[in-house]
Amino acid sequence: MKPYVIGLDLGGTNSVFGIVDANANVIAETSVKTRGHGPVEQYVADCVEALKVIIDKVGGIDKIQGMGIGAPNGNYYTNCIEYAPNLPWGDGKIPLGQMFSDALGIPVAMTNDANAAAMGEMAYGAAKGMKNFIMITLGTGVGSGIVCDGKMVYGSDGLAGELGHVRVKADGRECGCGRKGCLETYCSATGVARTAREILTTTDTPTLLREIPLDQIESKDVSIAAGKGDEVAKSIMDFTGRLLGSACADFACFNSPEAFIFFGGLVKAGDLIMDPIRKGYDENILKCYKGKAKMLVSQLDDAKAAVLGASALAWEL
């Protein structure tokens, strides 16, 4: 086993690389803008040039076990990014894993960003030692990574586990996926802001949120107001958490998890969001599962979690 792996957190704006050791220490980092390179081949070439600098710092490519990539619509089975709407290289299948492998001369594995987060949590964080858990990422959308019997659930095509697109309201809010009522339209950071705007435009209840221009309200504004005791903001957090907890009660039916682990900016609200999640879960869980699953917050550093998660894939290569 070689001493280091590379993790790539590939986002719509930035691509962040880290060289990671077996103790989850990020030894060296670099980043490249995801856009502005032209064709994907040039993007890979530019990334490799940036990587060479930090690879040399750890003794060269011979010290690297492999590379893991966490990317939107990354498919573990095909090592391709498939139809990712927020990336600049078209809407087809992009064999990015193989392209990096050919350019660097090391094995490369890929998965989607939420699965990468779950892998990181299992290797380095709150899920260390667990074999059955569900990772829920609460960001712009709601992502999820499902682990059963110590293995990621990828399904028949590598795309399993899109719990953010489970419908929680039959004729609810329109979702970017084209359907209505998806969980992420309510329980993501975007969903929280959406709930706030709906309340402000349909009621005249006094709230600190009215001090913010309607189109500029973000989930953190709701969290801050709730922390100050604002009743409207607290009700938004309660609605969001209970709905998410209720959905998790349904999710428990297919893998009876030891824990649900929550990650993302929304989780920084602490008990303001976690207590309603627990209540929503406890009120809706089947009796046979009651009291078994823990509701945990990720132990990974926000700034490095995605890179660590992607790097965890590479230790298996």
Side-chain angles (χ1 to χ4, degrees):
M1 181 74 72
K2 296 178 181 179
Y4 305 115
V5 292
I6 298 171
L8 165 57
D9 169 29
L10 199 167
T13 303
N14 294 307
S15 298
V16 181
F17 296 86
I19 295 180
V20 181
D21 69 15
N23 295 315
N25 297 308
V26 179
I27 305 300
E29 293 178 271
T30 190
S31 65
V32 172
K33 291 291 185 185
T34 302
R35 299 177 182 276
H37 303 270
V40 66
E41 291 81 5
Q42 188 59 51
Y43 164 79
V44 172
D46 292 344
C47 287
V48 169
E49 283 302 307
L51 269 172
K52 284 179 180 177
V53 176
I54 61 171
I55 289 172
D56 288 344
K57 287 182 179 178
V58 300
I61 198 68
D62 290 342
K63 299 289 186 181
I64 306 294
Q65 173 82 12
M67 176 175 168
I69 301 173
N73 293 49
N75 190 320
Y76 180 77
Y77 289 158
T78 65
N79 241 2
C80 293
I81 294 174
E82 301 189 6
Y83 309 100
N86 296 321
L87 295 178
W89 309 301
D91 61 357
K93 294 184 179 182
I94 303 160
L96 198 68
Q98 190 61 51
M99 294 172 76
F100 270 108
S101 182
D102 292 343
L104 292 168
I106 57 174
V108 176
M110 176 186 291
T111 190
N112 73 39
D113 35 8
N115 285 345
M119 292 288 292
E121 211 66 53
M122 186 161 53
Y124 311 118
K128 199 166 185 177
M130 292 185 187
K131 292 192 173 182
N132 296 277
F133 70 94
I134 297 176
M135 183 88 180
I136 305 286
T137 60
L138 303 173
T140 304
V142 173
S144 58
I146 304 167
V147 173
C148 291
D149 299 328
K151 298 178 180 179
M152 286 298 310
V153 173
Y154 292 111
S156 63
D157 59 0
L159 300 175
E162 290 288 348
L163 300 183
H165 293 287
V166 170
R167 295 170 73 221
V168 294
K169 290 189 180 291
D171 194 27
R173 296 172 179 171
E174 290 188 0
C175 182
C177 73
R179 304 195 307 163
K180 289 185 177 181
C182 291
L183 181 67
E184 76 169 37
T185 67
Y186 295 93
C187 296
S188 61
T190 310
V192 169
R194 205 164 165 178
T195 301
R197 286 193 291 271
E198 285 180 3
I199 289 175
L200 292 179
T201 54
T202 58
T203 75
D204 56 5
T205 309
T207 168
L208 294 171
L209 296 173
R210 295 192 186 280
E211 298 173 5
I212 305 166
L214 195 64
D215 61 351
Q216 294 179 27
I217 291 175
E218 298 181 351
S219 64
K220 67 179 179 180
D221 299 314
V222 179
S223 297
I224 291 168
K228 292 178 179 178
D230 185 275
E231 291 299 326
V232 169
K234 285 166 64 178
S235 73
I236 294 169
M237 300 303 285
D238 187 70
F239 167 78
T240 304
R242 283 177 180 265
L243 188 58
L244 181 55
S246 176
C248 287
D250 289 338
F251 302 157
C253 293
F254 56 74
N255 79 328
S256 186
E258 299 164 71
F260 289 87
I261 300 171
F262 298 89
F263 173 81
L266 197 53
V267 180
K268 292 178 181 176
D271 288 343
L272 289 168
I273 189 68
M274 291 305 298
D275 281 350
I277 288 173
R278 294 184 182 104
K279 288 176 184 175
Y281 185 81
D282 289 342
E283 289 168 357
N284 291 282
I285 191 66
L286 276 172
K287 287 183 178 179
C288 61
Y289 301 126
K290 198 169 184 67
K292 294 181 179 179
K294 299 175 183 177
M295 296 285 167
L296 303 175
V297 173
S298 170
Q299 292 180 357
L300 300 182
D301 178 348
D302 277 12
K304 298 179 179 177
V307 165
L308 287 173
S311 76
L313 282 170
W315 291 116
E316 300 180 349
L317 297 171

